[in-house]
Amino acid sequence: MSGEVTPAWKHLLEVEHLEVRFFTRRGEAQAVRDVSFTIDRGETLGLVGESGSGKSVTSLAVLGLIQLPGKITGGDVRWKGRSLLGQGGERYARSIRGKELAVVFQDPMTSLNPLFPIGTQIGEVLRYHMGMSKSQARTRTLELLDLVGISNPAQRIHQYPHEFSGGMRQRMLIAMALACEPELLIADEPTTALDVTIQAQILELLAELQERLEVAVLLISHDLGVVAQVCHRIAVMYAGKIVESGPAEEVFPRPGHPYTMGLMRSTPRLDLIQARLVGIDGAPPDLVRPPAGCPFHPRCPLAVEECLEEMPPLEAHGGGREVACWRAFTEAVGAEPGAGSTRG
Amino acid sequence: MPSLKLSERSPERDRRGAEPLLIVRGLTVRFPVGRAGFWGNRRLFVHAVDDVSFEIFRGETLGLVGETGSGKTTTGRAILRRVPIAAGTITFKGNDITHVDGDNLRHLRRDMQLVFQDPYASLNPRMKVLDLVGEPLVVHGVVRRIREARDRVRELLELVGLPADAVDRYPHAFSGGQRQRIGIARALALEPDFIVCDEPVSALDVSIRAQVVNLLQNLQDRLGLTYLFIAHDLSVVRHISHRIAVMYAGKVVEIADRDEIYENPKHPYTQALLSAVPIPDPALQRTRRRQILRGEIPNPVDPPPGCRFHTRCPIAEDRCRTDPPPLEPKRPEHLAACWLT
Ligand SMILES: Nc1ncnc2c1ncn2[C@@H]1O[C@H](COP(=O)(O)OP(=O)(O)OP(=O)(O)O)[C@@H](O)[C@H]1O
Ligand SMILES: Nc1ncnc2c1ncn2[C@@H]1O[C@H](COP(=O)(O)OP(=O)(O)OP(=O)(O)O)[C@@H](O)[C@H]1O
Ligand SMILES: [Mg+2]
Ligand SMILES: [Mg+2]
């Protein structure tokens, strides 16, 4: 964690041509296909997409937690330039997981042990990973709970997970994830189960921690608004692929991929009155038998013959933007002009 | 056999001056949850809905928003007479239905339907679409046997945008959005005037959600339906509703036209709620003033005295801690329950 020597690596996390398959009775589900992205120190990347698009599987692959019937079938994941895959990689992955690389899942109840008081659980992490003594761990636990905005931490450490509300449990998990001063925090739908005022508290907390501790964040969400609020860059997934990525401030006002455009037009906005939403026809494809060519073509209003035959590569469009579409930045005919764009 | 053609009603939303389709006055619902006290002589209740009043006009959508446990579902179920009502009255089409039972209640049930949140849990997996959608017709004696309902079910499926040949399939063969369409077709089978939509799109993905929201709006236009639309997603509610009521801890704290409530929220809770909704526009998000509420929703077994929001309210004064504020006009056709606005 020192900045004295220039590191031999360029990106904190590099995911390159990642492929994950699930070997099911119905056949091989191609859950993640040729996914590449990077995360730098202190940066927040938002991974958005609808249910089943491969967001969680991507994050599990990064954490080295893919289990049978799933398998990483191709590509590489590198942490500070060193691979986390393969034989040597797995040991390396174990040594950084929960320390340099921490995770917060959607459902706090399944991630906390119901049988132990909250203080014991956080203390355990500190003693195991950071080699702290009992009293050091206790002091640090109190600091951490205070950091995530839990009042009266000295009393709270004796309470059990079920004695807390959903929002407080999510704070506990964040405290636990931060215990070892991670450099990257993976948060998979951290606010999806929460009410909007509690969600606002947690998002504020994440942004604040990020600024203070300079931790990088991979935020997974299906909510475009949540991602717009906290992320520097976004990557949009569809049917196991990243179809568009770029700086949030560029992608939201001017999406380049017809799927991103469709998502924006499907999302009602608090600040705009839309007579009718322009949805996306149809439903996402079966990943056991994904369509040939571009996976979005069966639902795409812009599809031409080329799209049925060949998968468009992610191509650079300047300013750090990438779009995987033969007809990137084309407005659909018949769509309301500017319906998905903002006036911010 | 009676004609089963869907009657196409006028899409007019006749509001002002007209008699409301539904009037709720002082609605109160409590659930017993055990006893307390040394001898167990004090009965404990969840005060789920407390002295709630509003009306819904024919052809309009009233959006009901609020956080978990605020009493939205219970309000909807009380209107449909599916939970015991402790106090208050419900008037539907000019008749007091608070205590109707027997045949009158059966009759009422034809006119008021429910669409649920979870399209997976609400459909019996062993029933074919024909049975699922046609069942209400048999139960209410519109047809004697399910196979007589076949044409009508095909018609309903087409109405909600499903292929007519779906009649012979089972729910597992459909995606989430399609299952929600099946649920809507079932709710429409008896040609109701009024539908309680309880989080009907909350479980759906963004692109599918838009399809179902559009369907509900189109059906309202074509059939003149009246909706109570319950949701916690304020963006969806703003989009679909004509008027909006905001609930907090069992109380309606504000009610007004949708644009009015979004542009001029009067209750501090409504203000905080609106400012907490993320908007998919990073530039706008950076400049927006966000008001973060501290604390959590109060315990419904023992709600705070005075205004129930005072424990989280940024502007609460002494009076708010002791006297419950009435829901009263703050601007034309805009009610709020707050001493300080
Ligand atoms: N245990 C499993 N067995 C079989 N297939 C799986 C399994 N887990 C995931 N998959 C496949 O991987 C795909 C991607 O799943 P993933 O959980 O990453 O989606 P997601 O984008 O996180 O969706 P959600 O928003 O619903 O969480 C799924 O469509 C599914 O086909
Ligand atoms: N059958 C019941 N028995 C006891 N308590 C109940 C029952 N049904 C609801 N409640 C309680 O009544 C209160 C209001 O619940 P309700 O389901 O109406 O809230 P809601 O606004 O619909 O919340 P959500 O957004 O979570 O659906 C809650 O505190 C709930 O726990
Ligand atoms: Mg997921
Ligand atoms: Mg509910």
Side-chain angles (χ1 to χ4, degrees), chain B residues 4-18:
Chain B
L4 290 171
K5 271 273 159 276
L6 279 168
S7 52
E8 302 226 346
R9 281 165 279 189
S10 138
E12 294 295 282
R13 178 167 74 97
D14 35 78
R15 289 251 317 265
R16 315 280 174 250

Side-chain angles (χ1 to χ4, degrees), chain B residues 31-33 46 48 66-75 198-199 232 300:
Chain B
F31 296 107
V33 285
V46 171
E67 294 178 274
T68 298
S70 57
K72 306 179 297 296
T73 295
T74 306
T75 301
D198 192 356
E199 310 263 8
H232 60 267

Side-chain angles (χ1 to χ4, degrees), chain A residues 49-52 165-168 171 193-201 203-204 222-226 228-229 231 248-250 252-253 259 262-284 299 342-344, chain B residues 66-69 72 175 202 204-211 213-219 221 232-239 258-259 262-263 269 272-286 288 290-297 312:
Chain A
E50 294 179 273
S51 196
S165 66
M168 294 215 325
R171 282 165 193 266
L194 305 176
D195 271 319
V196 61
T197 63
I198 311 298
Q199 165 170 289
Q201 292 173 4
L203 293 182
E204 186 200 43
H222 64 271
D223 187 325
L224 292 174
V226 166
Q229 188 171 327
C231 297
E249 308 235 329
E250 311 279 333
F252 278 97
Y259 176 62
L263 274 186
M264 305 279 286
R265 291 199 187 99
S266 302
T267 307
R269 285 177 55 156
L270 197 61
D271 60 328
L272 295 179
I273 295 287
Q274 298 126 301
R276 280 286 193 274
L277 298 171
V278 184
I280 306 176
D281 288 339
R299 305 175 73 188
T342 61
R343 11 195 113 150
Chain B
E67 294 178 274
T68 298
K72 306 179 297 296
S175 67
S202 305
L204 305 177
D205 263 322
V206 188
S207 71
I208 310 298
R209 198 172 67 191
Q211 296 171 4
V213 164
N214 285 340
L215 172 66
L216 288 170
Q217 289 184 309
N218 293 340
L219 289 170
D221 288 352
H232 60 267
D233 183 330
L234 281 90
S235 307
V236 171
V237 169
R238 161 160 220 195
H239 178 76
R258 65 132 183 228
D259 292 346
Y262 280 92
E263 279 153 26
Y269 177 63
L273 201 58
L274 290 173
S275 85
V277 177
I279 294 176
D281 181 342
L284 188 71
Q285 284 288 30
R286 251 190 298 107
R288 256 174 108 208
R290 249 189 307 281
Q291 182 191 334
I292 308 269
L293 279 184
R294 302 291 148 202
E296 314 265 343
I297 293 168
R312 299 172 79 193

Side-chain angles (χ1 to χ4, degrees), chain A residues 9-201:
Chain A
W9 40 271
K10 203 158 148 247
H11 303 289
L12 193 60
L13 176 74
E14 277 170 288
V15 173
E16 214 173 65
H17 306 301
L18 183 68
E19 304 260 0
V20 183
R21 295 187 179 201
F22 284 87
F23 297 86
T24 67
R25 263 191 324 179
R26 293 183 47 243
E28 282 176 36
Q30 303 176 39
V32 172
R33 296 191 281 163
D34 194 17
V35 160
S36 304
F37 62 89
T38 61
I39 299 182
D40 292 334
R41 259 182 203 290
E43 182 185 45
T44 300
L45 175 69
L47 200 55
V48 289
E50 294 179 273
S51 196
S53 58
K55 306 182 296 296
S56 296
V57 170
T58 300
S59 71
L60 290 174
V62 167
L63 288 159
L65 297 176
I66 297 286
Q67 287 175 343
L68 288 172
K71 200 168 179 298
I72 295 179
T73 50
D76 201 2
V77 178
R78 282 191 294 275
W79 178 254
K80 297 182 177 174
R82 245 178 94 184
S83 176
L84 294 173
L85 306 181
Q87 286 235 301
E90 272 167 33
R91 186 163 340 120
Y92 180 43
R94 261 197 306 280
S95 74
I96 61 159
R97 196 166 52 223
K99 284 190 268 182
E100 294 172 39
L101 183 56
V103 63
V104 176
F105 289 113
Q106 170 176 343
D107 182 4
M109 239 3 215
T110 59
S111 316
L112 291 168
N113 188 330
L115 300 179
F116 294 97
I118 200 76
T120 312
Q121 299 192 46
I122 300 177
E124 215 43 8
V125 175
L126 290 165
R127 292 171 63 193
Y128 177 77
H129 280 310
M130 306 289 278
M132 286 187 183
S133 72
K134 212 167 174 168
S135 75
Q136 282 172 323
R138 187 188 138 86
T139 311
R140 181 76 183 129
T141 301
L142 295 180
E143 280 171 18
L144 284 164
L145 291 180
D146 187 56
L147 183 72
V148 297
I150 306 260
S151 54
N152 269 333
Q155 278 169 32
R156 299 295 202 173
I157 52 172
H158 302 296
Q159 295 185 318
Y160 291 81
H162 74 261
E163 298 176 58
F164 295 98
S165 66
M168 294 215 325
R169 285 198 288 261
Q170 200 55 280
R171 282 165 193 266
M172 307 283 176
L173 274 195
I174 293 174
M176 206 172 335
L178 293 174
C180 304
E181 297 167 19
E183 290 168 70
L184 173 66
L185 179 66
I186 296 182
D188 190 348
E189 310 267 7
T191 60
T192 302
L194 305 176
D195 271 319
V196 61
T197 63
I198 311 298
Q199 165 170 289
Q201 292 173 4

